[in-house]
Amino acid sequence: MRFPILLTSVLSAVLLASSPSTAQAPAGGGKVFRYAYRVDPASLDPHALAETFTLSWLGQVYEPLVGRGKNLELVPALATKWEQPEPNVWRFHLRTGVKFADGSPFTADDVVFSLQRVKKDGSDMAYTVASVTEIKKVDDFTVDLVMAKPNPILPVQTTSTYIMSKAWAEKNGATAPASVKAKVENFASNNANGTGPFKIESRQAGVRTILVPNKEWWGEKETNVDQVVFTPIQADTTRVAALLSGEVDMIYPVPQQDAARIDGTGTYQVLKGAELRTMFLNMDQKRDELLNSDVKGKNPFKDRRVRQAIYQAIDVNAIRDRVMGGTSRVAGTMIAPGINGYDAKLDTRIPYDADAAKKLLADAGYPNGFSFGMDCSNDRYVNDERICQAIVGMLARVGLKVTLNAQTRTKFFEKVLARDTSFAMLGWQPLSYDAHSTLQDTMNTPVDKVGTYNVGNYSNHAIDKLTMEIETEIDPAKRSALIAEAMTLDKDDFGHIPVHQAGLAWGVKKGVSVVLRSDDSLELKWVKLD
């Protein structure tokens, strides 16, 4: 495949310092896997940011007690089995003979330390163990997690809660978690020492990271890769060019407009699937006066009619067809098919109707609309800025004057998690693949360690009560009914506005075998090269 001189020059300029081909090959030869994603991990501290890509990338180096298999089923990781000796206690039996990448042994002390660290201020992963009130070492390879009330889903809540070395963290001054949103860093922000199948050989943040197999890893070796070179490439065109020029063996995501071209080469192919992440809109419903608005002395978003007007002013089918190239799935509820608790009866939408939206705004006292700002990332989700631009244009048609602030994901998360926002688009994929996470983390009234990603501060105490009941209900039918009740309350209240689930698309060189999971996580331990 040949490229125009200009494109080749641009690619060379962008990748000159970071080109995977400049990475030193493994000693004695060996197989090298080179891949690119749109961004770099936000931090190497596994407790610094609850972002899917950062956590999935760190999952090559660090491990949880309970893991996920090729079909997202629960599998033993650092715990070989788990049980409930009492209704409010989960007991984890730890794997013996495990070593961290630095050669030090893994024991219960590391689990107790790590989970206590997760619960400290600054951690973005505290919600995964929010129900845990005590972490007890039973013996060197047994740990009890004690809860005030029974929590039947604790194991699935912790599949991205990674275990660190206590000795390593203490030695390097990293006993407290770093925080992306608070701009707090420590040694663990740029260094890693896990028990996972790979370890970091070298790293230039934002440029290139080289990983090599962890020879101390306890698991069965499936990959035949001797070295992995990861390069973050934000620009879609540059990322595609890197694949088609042979600079990398795999890229993701693939822009939908380039999928046919990649498939047509005969050398590369596009693997497609459905994402579990739901994109949704948040509206500030707490402040008495909306930020950066021409409405003074009150907050229009507190009025349900205004929230419904915004909902009906957005043509999600047009976003699917024109922005997403037909690859997204329109969402009528806050969870996707494949998430435990999904109810197809709730996955419906009130039709797009700009005239109805105008009438609702007029009835609410805003016949000429009003102004406000919108926060959006430009490098986190598939077509994120383009989606936000489309929404701004649609809202303008009903008189809502929206100023878009699109920025890199790090700055975006810092801003919205500080609640410095009026209107923002986020995506949420429950790490537990259970509706409870969506309720607890994006819909619950923000307090303590819950509601962290409910950046519009929507508050419905009936939903809060149901969320607590859902966490402790062990009867599947009753639990499903409680989830449906909570989701219905938010839906009827227009507490949040679901948009869609994006399609997954990975571009891979033929002869490279990877496992495409619906959580959009590339697991290096399953990569094989011909």
Side-chain angles (χ1 to χ4, degrees), residues 35-42 51-54 57 203 205-207 209 230-236 239 252-253 377-381 384 407-410 413:
Y35 78 107
Y37 185 70
R38 73 173 87 201
V39 295
D40 209 29
E51 179 199 46
T52 302
F53 171 72
T54 293
W57 195 95
R203 175 166 168 78
V207 179
T209 303
F230 169 71
T231 307
I233 305 177
Q234 180 177 347
D236 288 345
R239 198 165 58 250
Y252 70 120
S377 58
N378 60 16
D379 61 358
R380 174 61 192 95
Y381 309 109
D384 42 9
Q407 51 190 336
T408 62
R409 84 194 202 281
T410 301
F413 281 121

Side-chain angles (χ1 to χ4, degrees), residues 388-403:
C388 291
Q389 289 171 340
I391 289 172
V392 168
M394 292 170 183
L395 295 181
R397 295 173 193 162
V398 300
L400 296 172
K401 299 169 281 293
V402 184
T403 301

Side-chain angles (χ1 to χ4, degrees), residues 137-163:
K137 174 183 175 180
V138 178
D139 58 42
D140 282 346
F141 294 98
T142 312
V143 173
D144 281 353
L145 302 189
V146 183
M147 299 152 291
K149 297 179 180 179
N151 176 3
I153 64 169
L154 182 67
V156 304
Q157 290 178 317
T158 59
T159 54
S160 292
T161 308
Y162 298 133
I163 305 303

Side-chain angles (χ1 to χ4, degrees), residues 433-491:
Y433 309 110
D434 187 274
H436 177 267
S437 169
T438 298
L439 288 162
Q440 180 190 60
D441 305 314
T442 71
M443 300 161 74
N444 209 99
T445 302
V447 59
D448 195 19
K449 305 299 183 183
V450 302
T452 303
Y453 287 82
N454 179 7
V455 300
N457 289 295
Y458 170 69
S459 180
N460 185 321
H461 294 301
I463 292 178
D464 299 345
K465 182 174 181 294
L466 286 165
T467 301
M468 293 178 64
E469 293 177 20
I470 290 163
E471 187 170 51
T472 59
E473 179 55 62
I474 60 175
D475 182 275
K478 291 181 180 178
R479 192 172 187 274
S480 294
L482 293 171
I483 291 171
E485 184 180 351
M487 290 290 177
T488 299
L489 287 171
D490 182 81
K491 182 182 178 76

Side-chain angles (χ1 to χ4, degrees), residues 69 227 241 335 348 350 446 460 511:
Q227 186 186 81
I335 54 175
T348 58
I350 296 175
N460 185 321

Side-chain angles (χ1 to χ4, degrees), residues 289-296 371-373 403 415 420 422:
E289 180 176 296
L290 199 61
L291 291 175
N292 305 313
S293 174
D294 55 6
V295 176
K296 302 302 178 184
S371 64
F372 55 94
T403 301
K415 189 173 190 293
D420 180 21
S422 297

Side-chain angles (χ1 to χ4, degrees), residues 317-397:
N317 291 332
I319 292 174
R320 175 195 62 200
D321 298 338
R322 299 171 193 170
V323 178
M324 304 301 290
T327 61
S328 62
R329 180 188 177 280
V330 169
T333 185
M334 289 283 284
I335 54 175
I339 299 297
N340 186 46
Y342 169 79
D343 187 341
K345 295 189 295 293
L346 290 175
D347 201 5
T348 58
R349 292 186 67 94
I350 296 175
Y352 160 70
D353 190 332
D355 290 335
K358 290 178 182 178
K359 184 177 186 307
L360 283 163
L361 288 171
D363 291 346
Y366 307 100
N368 299 315
F370 56 92
S371 64
F372 55 94
M374 179 179 189
D375 290 297
C376 184
S377 58
N378 60 16
D379 61 358
R380 174 61 192 95
Y381 309 109
V382 178
N383 294 329
D384 42 9
E385 185 173 7
R386 291 180 60 202
I387 295 167
C388 291
Q389 289 171 340
I391 289 172
V392 168
M394 292 170 183
L395 295 181
R397 295 173 193 162

Side-chain angles (χ1 to χ4, degrees), residues 28-82:
K31 295 181 180 295
V32 180
F33 174 63
R34 301 173 173 87
Y35 78 107
Y37 185 70
R38 73 173 87 201
V39 295
D40 209 29
S43 173
L44 295 190
D45 188 315
H47 308 147
L49 184 67
E51 179 199 46
T52 302
F53 171 72
T54 293
L55 291 173
S56 68
W57 195 95
L58 289 174
Q60 318 312 310
V61 177
Y62 286 103
E63 293 179 298
L65 296 175
V66 182
R68 295 279 182 180
K70 293 179 181 178
N71 296 307
L72 294 178
E73 73 279 14
L74 291 185
V75 297
L78 289 178
T80 56
K81 63 178 182 178
W82 43 96

